[in-house]
Amino acid sequence: MTAAADRAAFSAENCSVARTLAIVGEKWTLLVLREAFYGVRRFSEFQAHLGIARNLLTARLATLVDHGLLDRQTYQDPNSRARQEYRLTTKGRDLFPALIALMQWGDTYLADDAGPAVVVAHNDCGTAVHVELRCAHDHGPLTARDTHPTPGPGALPTP
């Protein structure tokens, strides 16, 4: 059976990619996550770094909190009112490889002639990190041509 024929045997209606995009597929959401990975925590800092309208930022932060990617925590600077800051949860931190994969693709195909604007480096050795697809037996790096979709335990048959 070919990969295309195998793929036709199950429905895409409960697709994990579609479910993920429903949460993080909007441009500003990924940029908010990027800033959170860079250590930004406070609303005013997100707004300053992104140049995003307050209402959009409020909505994006609420979505990320509602879906458990960010945790809202109260803080209070001396002589000011209590405010909220946003910290990545484990669920949010687990998106880091996906964000790096998008950055890596952009660095390869869309960077300025001078090169990438940001290089993410390993804390211990200082070298640039990259995302690489590997199977459970450590074969890789793999490409789309080295893989094929198969129905998982949650697959629904094609109607």
Side-chain angles (χ1 to χ4, degrees):
M1 180 180 278
T2 68
D6 192 33
R7 174 63 187 93
F10 56 98
S11 169
E13 72 182 73
N14 66 340
C15 171
S16 294
V17 173
R19 288 178 177 168
T20 302
L21 287 175
I23 299 168
V24 301
E26 197 276 333
K27 167 191 164 185
W28 289 112
T29 304
L30 285 174
L31 295 176
V32 167
L33 285 170
R34 177 196 68 193
E35 293 304 316
F37 284 118
Y38 290 166
V40 172
R41 304 276 183 261
R42 297 179 178 184
F43 187 97
S44 60
E45 294 171 334
F46 282 110
Q47 192 174 27
H49 288 270
L50 295 170
I52 183 175
R54 291 180 63 81
N55 62 326
L56 287 175
L57 179 56
T58 298
R60 296 303 157 254
L61 289 169
T63 295
L64 292 168
V65 168
D66 289 347
H67 289 281
L69 282 77
L70 291 177
D71 184 37
R72 185 182 295 124
Q73 298 178 357
T74 302
Y75 74 94
Q76 187 167 7
D77 289 328
N79 300 320
S80 53
R81 65 181 175 84
R83 297 179 188 264
Q84 303 294 310
E85 68 178 14
Y86 301 86
R87 296 191 173 264
L88 286 159
T89 63
T90 299
K91 189 175 179 180
R93 285 188 300 274
D94 283 349
L95 274 172
F96 187 65
L99 198 67
I100 294 299
L102 287 171
M103 179 189 280
Q104 191 172 306
W105 185 89
D107 290 348
T108 300
Y109 298 106
L110 304 172
D112 293 338
D113 291 340
V118 173
V119 175
V120 177
H122 180 221
N123 286 340
D124 289 346
C125 70
T127 60
V129 301
H130 68 276
V131 176
E132 185 175 275
L133 190 62
R134 304 186 79 73
C135 74
H137 292 285
D138 205 29
H139 300 123
L142 303 174
T143 68
R145 291 182 181 212
D146 301 313
T147 68
H148 65 277
T150 59
L156 301 174
T158 301

